[in-house]
Amino acid sequence: MVADREAELEAIRAQIRHKFPPDTIVDALGAGGKPADVVLGAAMLLVAEIAPALLDAIARAGGKDAPGERDKNLAFYGLHVLGGARDARAFPGLMRILHLPEERLHALLGDGLTETIKRVAIGTFDGDAQALFALMADETADEYARYEMFGVAAFLAFEGRLAVDDVVRFLVRFDDERLAPARHMAWCGWEDAIALLGLRALVPRVEAAWRDGRTPDGFSEPAYFASDLERAEQDDPERFGELHGLGYIEDIVEELSWITYPGTGGGADSAWDGGRPFVRQEPYINPLRDIGRNDPCPCGSGKKAKRCCLAS
């Protein structure tokens, strides 16, 4: 039965390979703009063949020198393709990228830093807990990168891919050593991880952080913290995905649906879908694009954007 299924998949791959040779897929992912859905699907089916090129681009993107546009594009889409394929070879490169200075990191990942990179990290996690904790503890790293990795650690511990005791020790150390300044987003991630894992013994530490004002103004939500904690104690697995977006990339097209480019055109930057070009285009400007998921919602509700207008 397994052999039959693999034979079917190889027949599909052969058809895809004929229409979209691996080099063409790699060129499309690096061309700029958003690749056509069919190319993203082809990338997932032929991921074993294009992975070396993707991993090379990811390594260059996280290196000492800033990458060129092609490598930036290829690294961005490559991380998502390899995250969807759950290819652990991408994890070290991802960690190096997330340690980059803020300007380079945001130029590379854009809104993906808060939209999707947590699911890339979950999918590619290679078991190196210390690399994950090192990023969460790095006071020079981008605060949103650190924030997102707390959720990643909590989900991996829930799944049994990371030892809960190791996560608890790190959370205690983070508090004891004050590994982030007051009103830093990492404290929000720390608080969320404690709630998501149902660590009631650490609740007094969270309450102390509230009293000290360590959580950024407008971000400390005791009611949501209590809700996540209660759901953890009831072993409700939906708590990770509903508001926190933690889980695996299941559909690469859906995962990247937040990236939209209007219009059509052609030219030197085009790649091809059966004779129809998909092109490098100017990005659509989302009116909420500068509002982070964890920023106060601009509607004035007092809630985080992810729990208000961005949720809709």
Side-chain angles (χ1 to χ4, degrees):
M1 201 70 176
V2 173
D4 290 344
R5 177 59 178 158
E6 182 54 36
E8 290 177 8
L9 286 173
E10 184 49 42
I12 294 171
R13 291 189 196 104
Q15 294 176 4
I16 295 296
R17 198 179 293 116
H18 176 73
K19 189 173 183 180
F20 296 102
D23 287 347
T24 298
I25 296 172
V26 170
D27 287 343
L29 296 178
K34 183 180 180 181
D37 293 350
V38 68
V39 173
L40 292 172
M44 293 303 303
L45 282 168
L46 299 183
V47 64
E49 296 168 54
I50 66 173
L54 304 183
L55 290 166
D56 284 348
I58 290 166
R60 288 191 292 272
K64 180 180 178 181
D65 299 323
E69 284 301 311
R70 184 179 188 277
D71 277 342
K72 283 169 58 178
N73 297 327
L74 194 54
F76 176 84
Y77 287 108
L79 283 169
H80 290 82
V81 168
L82 295 173
R86 306 188 188 183
D87 190 328
R89 291 176 296 173
F91 189 74
L94 173 61
M95 291 295 100
R96 285 191 291 274
I97 285 171
L98 292 177
H99 278 285
L100 289 173
E102 180 179 341
E103 184 176 351
R104 275 189 62 186
L105 178 63
H106 285 256
L108 179 62
L109 297 183
D111 290 345
L113 181 60
T114 53
E115 290 287 343
T116 52
I117 213 65
K118 50 184 165 281
R119 291 184 289 279
V120 172
I122 288 168
T124 61
F125 181 62
D126 63 358
D128 189 351
Q130 295 312 308
L132 186 61
F133 294 148
L135 175 61
M136 294 155 68
D138 182 0
E139 296 189 57
T140 69
D142 180 85
E143 63 181 317
Y144 282 94
R146 296 176 70 189
Y147 165 80
E148 296 293 354
M149 292 306 108
F150 278 94
V152 169
F155 184 84
L156 291 170
F158 170 75
E159 288 254 298
R161 297 175 60 199
L162 193 58
V164 174
D165 288 348
D166 288 346
V167 176
V168 171
R169 279 191 290 272
F170 178 79
L171 295 172
V172 169
R173 175 192 160 210
F174 191 89
D175 185 30
D176 286 345
E177 298 180 16
R178 297 294 196 272
L179 293 177
R183 292 177 293 281
H184 190 284
M185 284 302 301
W187 286 111
C188 294
W190 173 81
E191 175 183 318
D192 285 348
I194 289 170
L196 287 168
L197 290 174
L199 302 175
R200 191 166 288 278
L202 300 188
V203 170
R205 290 176 177 267
V206 174
E207 293 171 340
W210 291 341
R211 290 193 299 270
D212 294 345
R214 272 177 266 156
T215 306
D217 294 340
F219 290 93
S220 182
E221 300 177 75
Y224 285 108
F225 176 84
S227 174
D228 281 340
L229 186 69
E230 182 179 352
R231 293 177 73 179
E233 291 174 333
Q234 294 171 353
D235 200 26
D236 177 2
E238 299 302 320
R239 67 190 185 275
F240 288 96
E242 285 182 0
L243 292 176
H244 299 279
L246 296 163
Y248 295 95
I249 295 174
E250 304 291 352
D251 181 330
I252 190 69
V253 172
E254 181 179 350
E255 187 72 15
L256 296 173
S257 62
W258 57 275
I259 307 174
T260 56
Y261 296 80
T264 58
D269 289 325
S270 297
W272 291 87
D273 168 13
R276 295 184 299 278
F278 67 91
V279 300
R280 180 173 185 164
Q281 300 160 330
E282 291 302 314
Y284 166 71
I285 304 302
N286 185 329
L288 295 178
R289 69 185 299 274
D290 293 323
I291 307 299
R293 287 171 56 81
N294 296 291
D295 289 342
C297 192
C299 75
S301 67
K303 300 178 181 179
K304 292 181 184 178
K306 72 180 180 183
R307 292 186 168 118
C308 195
C309 293
L310 284 183
S312 60

